[in-house]
Amino acid sequence: MISSIQRRGFLAALIAAGLSLYGCSRTEELKNINGIDMSGTEIGQDFLLTGTDGRQHRLADFKDKAVLVFFGFTQCPDVCPTALFRAAEVKKLLGPDGDQLQVLFITVDPERDTPEVLKAYVSAFDPSFMGLYGDLDQTAKTAKNFKAYYAKVPTGASYTMDHSAITYVYDRAGRLRLGLRHTQTAEEYAADIRQILALD
Amino acid sequence: MSAISKLSTWTLTTASMLLAVASAHAQVTVDEPWVRATVAQQQATGAFMRLSSKADSALVQADSPAAQHVEIHEMIMENDVMKMRQIPRLALPAGQTVELKPGGYHIMLIDLKTQVHEGNHVPMTLTFESPDGKRETVNIEAPVRPLASGAPSGGHHHKH
């Protein structure tokens, strides 16, 4: 988990690096973003999971679109529907650029989230959204790759999944750029994503 | 109007008056309950509402014919990690409105017996306990909102 102090230090280092490279033909820095700048980090560089369209997918399949990745599970009555609802709102706020956005929902609970349930669930928020899943091992490897925490926790009659509520945003070249937080609004997300779409 | 429909109207009016009287005397009021719809084979969902009690009370139990297990849950966000935990009771301090809403508390309906469809209602029985151990139950019919529902809109106000 990144503390806010470490995050600020990290951001300062990134800004310094960006300034030192000013004028070079390098990817532009994002300015005044609402999210956490994750450009240049090693995390979330790729994944290999099965999509609810029945096909295997890696990040490169969504090249030329801005990609939003969220980890969750369908038996989550609060954070996950809110996050997906917000993603649908973001798509609307982007207007005609909305179809330049690909939203991916990776389940951390493949035991209960069968492909059928996952597909129906994700599509209910927007038909363009895709669910991704793997077996328990692939799920663990993917989350680790993203440094996204999750855990299966017994509760009452069943179990719940603790999980990271960060939305990861990639640019059109498939580079991870931002981490947006659950506490932020659709408008804040859309403002950052518009910048990302304007890159390159 | 036929005699039968007059009688039905009378019965309905009396019944609703009695219900109104009953809830006016009840300790706890339940405002704007709703349940999130599910897709087929989805095994759980959440119910949300606003609760307020005239005197100190607590929500200690919830039941519904729609689910095998019904629990009171709290959602905690810690360092951008979401955690849900069952809680044995939800305190309702006198005169305060306690909200069960996304981002905080909810009632979890687990092992659903059937898909929960938008536009339907889910019956629930809520049990409240006062500090002296006395219990009161309130029956509600919670309307089902779309799975893709955002935070409750600010425009809804219940008048009593």
Side-chain angles (χ1 to χ4, degrees):
Chain A
M1 237 114 0
I2 306 169
S3 76
S4 63
I5 294 168
Q6 283 175 288
R7 198 182 291 145
R8 271 195 290 257
F10 187 63
L11 188 57
L14 277 175
I15 290 168
L19 285 170
S20 71
L21 288 165
Y22 181 80
C24 297
S25 56
R26 194 193 119 96
T27 316
E28 297 160 56
E29 291 297 326
L30 300 165
K31 296 174 182 63
N32 299 319
I33 50 168
N34 298 302
I36 305 159
D37 196 324
M38 290 187 166
S39 310
T41 65
E42 296 281 295
I43 73 170
Q45 298 203 332
D46 205 354
F47 52 78
L48 179 61
L49 295 165
T50 312
T52 44
D53 61 350
R55 306 202 315 260
Q56 290 266 284
H57 286 287
R58 11 177 47 107
L59 182 59
D61 293 351
F62 307 103
K63 221 165 136 72
D64 299 328
K65 288 193 181 184
V67 178
L68 258 68
V69 171
F70 190 80
F71 288 85
F73 64 115
T74 69
Q75 299 211 34
C76 168
D78 180 339
V79 170
C80 304
T82 302
L84 286 168
F85 179 80
R86 177 181 49 223
E89 291 283 284
V90 169
K91 191 178 166 192
K92 288 195 194 98
L93 287 170
L94 293 174
D97 284 342
D99 59 7
Q100 307 283 300
L101 188 67
Q102 177 64 59
V103 176
L104 303 173
F105 183 79
I106 298 178
T107 181
V108 296
D109 187 14
E111 290 178 282
R112 287 187 303 206
D113 291 347
T114 63
E116 294 76 27
V117 171
L118 191 59
K119 181 176 182 161
Y121 186 87
V122 173
S123 317
F125 294 88
D126 190 282
S128 73
F129 291 4
M130 191 185 302
L132 290 168
Y133 62 95
D135 60 24
L136 290 170
D137 192 51
Q138 290 166 322
T139 303
K141 288 200 167 82
T142 307
K144 188 168 176 210
N145 186 3
F146 277 82
K147 290 198 166 60
Y149 174 81
Y150 75 98
K152 184 174 174 179
V153 179
T155 182
S158 182
Y159 68 85
T160 182
M161 304 301 296
D162 289 357
H163 64 93
S164 162
I166 298 270
T167 294
Y168 300 86
V169 185
Y170 293 84
D171 64 21
R172 296 181 203 264
R175 286 176 299 230
L176 180 63
R177 303 289 276 184
L178 292 177
L180 284 158
R181 306 176 68 191
H182 190 65
T183 43
Q184 291 170 310
T185 63
E187 286 77 11
E188 287 171 314
Y189 275 52
D192 283 9
I193 291 164
R194 278 191 204 103
Q195 278 202 57
I196 289 195
L197 286 172
L199 290 173
D200 297 326
Chain B
M1 241 203 233
S2 75
I4 289 176
S5 66
K6 265 199 206 140
L7 180 63
S8 315
T9 311
W10 183 88
T11 311
L12 205 60
T13 314
T14 312
S16 49
M17 278 171 61
L18 283 172
L19 261 170
V21 167
S23 43
H25 284 308
Q27 277 269 64
V28 185
T29 48
V30 182
D31 270 324
E32 229 185 313
W34 62 281
V35 174
R36 195 183 288 278
T38 63
V39 295
Q41 295 170 49
Q42 187 180 332
Q43 289 168 43
T45 189
F48 307 93
M49 62 196 68
R50 288 193 303 278
L51 298 173
S52 73
S53 181
K54 297 193 183 96
D56 284 345
S57 185
L59 173 66
V60 295
Q61 194 177 311
D63 299 280
S64 174
Q68 305 264 34
H69 304 280
V70 185
E71 298 170 2
I72 309 163
H73 280 211
E74 182 179 16
M75 196 283 283
I76 307 153
M77 182 76 73
E78 225 169 61
N79 296 324
D80 298 307
V81 174
M82 181 224 88
K83 301 177 190 207
M84 278 200 305
R85 295 290 180 266
Q86 182 184 20
I87 54 174
R89 56 196 291 120
L90 178 57
L92 306 175
Q96 281 183 39
T97 300
V98 175
E99 291 200 73
L100 284 79
K101 62 176 182 188
Y105 304 106
H106 55 268
I107 288 172
M108 191 88 176
L109 298 160
I110 297 167
D111 291 329
L112 296 167
K113 296 187 184 162
T114 178
Q115 186 180 350
V116 176
H117 291 277
E118 185 188 334
N120 285 358
H121 285 74
V122 173
M124 294 176 62
T125 303
L126 306 174
T127 305
F128 302 95
E129 192 180 270
S130 43
D132 62 2
K134 234 166 90 183
R135 291 196 164 196
E136 168 200 359
T137 59
V138 175
N139 294 313
I140 59 168
E141 292 274 333
V144 179
R145 291 193 192 165
L147 167 56
S149 287
S153 67
H156 289 253
H157 290 286
H158 260 258
K159 292 196 167 58
H160 289 280

